[in-house]
Structure formats: structure tokens, C-alpha cells
Amino acid sequence: MADEVRPVIRAAGAVLRDGDLVAVVHRPRYDDWSLPKGKLDRGEAAPAAAVREVFEETGFRAVLGPYLKAVRYAVDGVPKVVDYYAADVVAGSFAPNEEVDELRWLSPAEAAGLVSRDEDRSVLAAFTALPGGLRTLLLVRHAKAGKREHWSGDDDLRPLSAAGWRQAEALRGVLPLWGAARVHAAPRLRCEQTVRAVADDLGVAVRSEPALSEEGYWPDRDAAVARVARLLEEDGGVPVVSSQGGVIPDLVEALAALGGVALEEGRTPSKKGSAWVLSFRPGAPGWSTSDPVSRWPRLAAAHYLPTALGKPLS
């Protein structure tokens, strides 16, 4: 008889920052001090759960930053995995509630001294290891568009399949959690369709990015990396870029090499409907006119989101 598959409790949380201070909450049910966190709802993705739990426990709306780490421990013998993100306060105020009766804003060092669990201290250590002033770019692989051999028209016009539209709808709900504000896509219908709903919700157009298509990228990879740097320097918030599987792994590896970032498990996956959350140090002012490569924004952290679709929970 095959071994019984043990259930895993999935949860998500955040180091919620307001300026130089972070939030620590007291949970009367456990009489402990903790970082805001909670279990995923059925079908919910971890980033969405992190933002929801922060709001429910603290009353603050938050925008996500870099992924920090996964914490693993057991609850009554059942494995539990908690994914943590950095997050910044956008709006809101705290009021005592059923889950949390007190919130304190502390320096990260003070927070590490107050929290009850060593796991939370390890998350705070990952948070403090990040440089300040990071900027985010969301690099998305277009959603499913059916098989090329089953499409008789121009491949640039191959549209999303029914499964692809479901992936695009899931991305619509997740990408704004990082403060998505501008939307760009390689000149492929499937790339544009993948992020069109995000653009519609934001009230912006999807801007074409020929340098980030497969035929534009490979003849001049440096120009593509420079285009990413330009997107980061533009005003207007976090850019979303929808591109292709023939571009994304190499582009992420190039950015990681420039920034000296070790990728998770040394891999650069790029499933359809997935995204890379890329966090950059700001570039030096005027980098385009003097020694541009050395003055580009530098990648500081990279996290792969294999799907925005939440998995059913047992």
C-alpha cells in the first residue's frame, strides 16, 4: 500500500513596514507576539493571502515587495509552510479585533527581540538583509495559447486558449498586489491578452515592447537589458512586462549575473502564466550618458511565482 499523503497547512504573512518600523502583533488566542500571518483560503494564492491576512489582523492595506522566505514547522504533527513577503503600508489604521488585541511598531531589531518564535526572527533577518529603496518589475510569461501546430494563421495572432484566459484572470488578481501601475507586452496577441485585463483595471494602455519579443531579444540582448533598465527608471509605478518563453529565462539570468544574485535552486523556470518578481536597486542618475552598463539598476532579489492560480486545499 502506498504511503498516505500527509496534508500540509499552507499560510502566508508579511513583514509590514511603515518607514523604518515594522509591525508586530499580539494574538490573545496563543498569547504570543508574531508577524502578521494566516492560513490560505481554498483556491487562494499565497501573495493574496499575505495581503488579506495583513489587513484582517492589522487594519492596514499593503503593497507587496520582495519575497523573503518560507518557514516550515509542525502543528500537532501536521507540517505547516508559511510564505513571507516584505510589504509596505498604503493606508489604514489598527483596531483590536478577534485575532489581534495589540499592535506595536518597532525597529526590526526590537521586533526580533519581541516575537515569540525563532522562525519569525529568521524572517526578520531576511528582511533586514535586503537593501533599501528597491524597485519592482513583474516579468510575466504569456498564458496558454494552444499548440502552434493547431493554429493555421499568423503565429503572432495566436490567441489565448480557455485555460489561458483562466490564467490571465488569476494574474489580474495577483499582479496588482505588488503595485502594478504600467503594462507592457511583447508584440504577440497572446502576450497582450495575458495582461490586458490588468491594464483595463488600471485604465492604461498596453505598451508594445519589440525588444522583449523573441525576434527582438536575441539579435541584441544588451538592448533588451537596457530596455528593462529604462522601464525601471520611468515614473509611474511598478511595470508589468508580458513576454515569451524564449526570452524570460535568459533575461532573468542576465539580470541576475549583472546584480550578483544567486537564483533560487540555480534555475530559471518560465511556465505559461507564471511570473518573476524582480527587485532592483535604483540606478545612478544620468546612467544613460556615461558608462551606462555599470550604472544600470541592479537586480537585488528574484522570486518565481509558478502560477497565480491558487491550489485547492484539503
Side-chain angles (χ1 to χ4, degrees):
M1 179 181 295
D3 292 338
E4 183 179 353
V5 177
R6 301 181 68 188
V8 176
I9 301 170
R10 294 294 310 280
V15 177
L16 179 65
R17 172 175 52 197
D18 188 3
D20 295 329
L21 304 180
V22 300
V24 181
V25 298
H26 182 259
R27 303 181 300 172
R29 177 181 177 185
Y30 305 102
D31 190 22
D32 69 354
W33 288 93
S34 171
L35 299 172
K37 67 175 182 294
K39 296 177 185 177
L40 274 62
D41 288 340
R42 183 176 298 275
E44 187 176 38
V51 171
R52 176 182 55 77
E53 286 289 341
V54 163
F55 178 70
E56 290 178 359
E57 292 195 353
T58 73
F60 288 97
R61 300 287 181 186
V63 62
L64 294 181
Y67 179 80
L68 297 175
K69 65 179 298 183
V71 166
R72 295 172 171 82
Y73 54 95
V75 177
D76 297 328
V78 179
K80 183 172 183 177
V81 179
V82 188
D83 288 302
Y84 281 97
Y85 301 80
D88 287 296
V89 166
V90 174
S93 61
F94 174 71
N97 55 73
E98 291 183 359
E99 297 183 64
V100 173
D101 62 356
E102 186 178 353
L103 180 150
R104 294 184 186 177
W105 290 105
L106 303 170
S107 71
E110 292 170 330
L114 180 62
V115 292
S116 303
R117 301 182 65 93
D118 287 339
E119 290 86 356
D120 283 4
R121 277 183 274 278
S122 73
V123 174
L124 286 163
F127 173 80
T128 56
L130 290 171
L134 295 180
R135 304 191 68 170
T136 302
L137 182 141
L138 302 168
L139 183 59
V140 179
R141 168 83 186 273
H142 69 73
K144 293 181 179 179
K147 295 185 180 296
R148 183 176 302 184
E149 57 267 28
H150 297 163
W151 174 254
S152 60
D154 184 343
D155 189 61
D156 289 2
L157 301 178
R158 180 156 50 97
L160 296 186
S161 64
W165 282 113
R166 289 193 293 271
Q167 290 177 320
E169 184 64 19
L171 288 165
R172 179 185 192 177
V174 169
L175 297 179
L177 299 174
W178 280 274
R182 294 178 281 129
V183 181
H184 308 255
R188 297 284 191 279
L189 179 60
R190 54 194 177 275
C191 293
E192 187 270 338
Q193 287 180 328
T194 298
V195 292
R196 180 187 293 166
V198 177
D200 289 345
D201 289 345
L202 294 171
V204 300
V206 179
R207 295 167 56 183
S208 182
E209 298 294 340
L212 298 174
S213 66
E214 289 176 350
E215 77 278 6
Y217 179 81
W218 288 104
D220 195 343
R221 294 165 69 234
D222 288 346
V225 174
R227 180 57 185 151
V228 169
R230 282 292 193 194
L231 291 176
L232 287 161
E233 294 296 321
E234 288 182 6
D235 293 332
V238 171
V240 175
V241 179
S242 176
S243 187
Q244 300 176 264
V247 171
I248 291 172
D250 190 80
L251 176 58
V252 171
E253 290 171 9
L255 293 167
L258 282 170
V261 171
L263 297 171
E264 298 167 7
E265 301 180 1
R267 301 183 302 113
T268 49
S270 183
K271 294 182 179 179
K272 292 176 181 176
S274 68
W276 279 90
V277 181
L278 304 175
S279 303
F280 294 81
R281 300 178 181 88
W287 62 261
S288 61
T289 59
S290 175
D291 191 16
V293 174
S294 68
R295 298 164 71 88
W296 281 343
R298 282 292 191 266
L299 189 67
H303 176 63
Y304 179 62
L305 186 67
T307 178
L309 292 165
K311 297 180 179 179
L313 302 177
S314 57

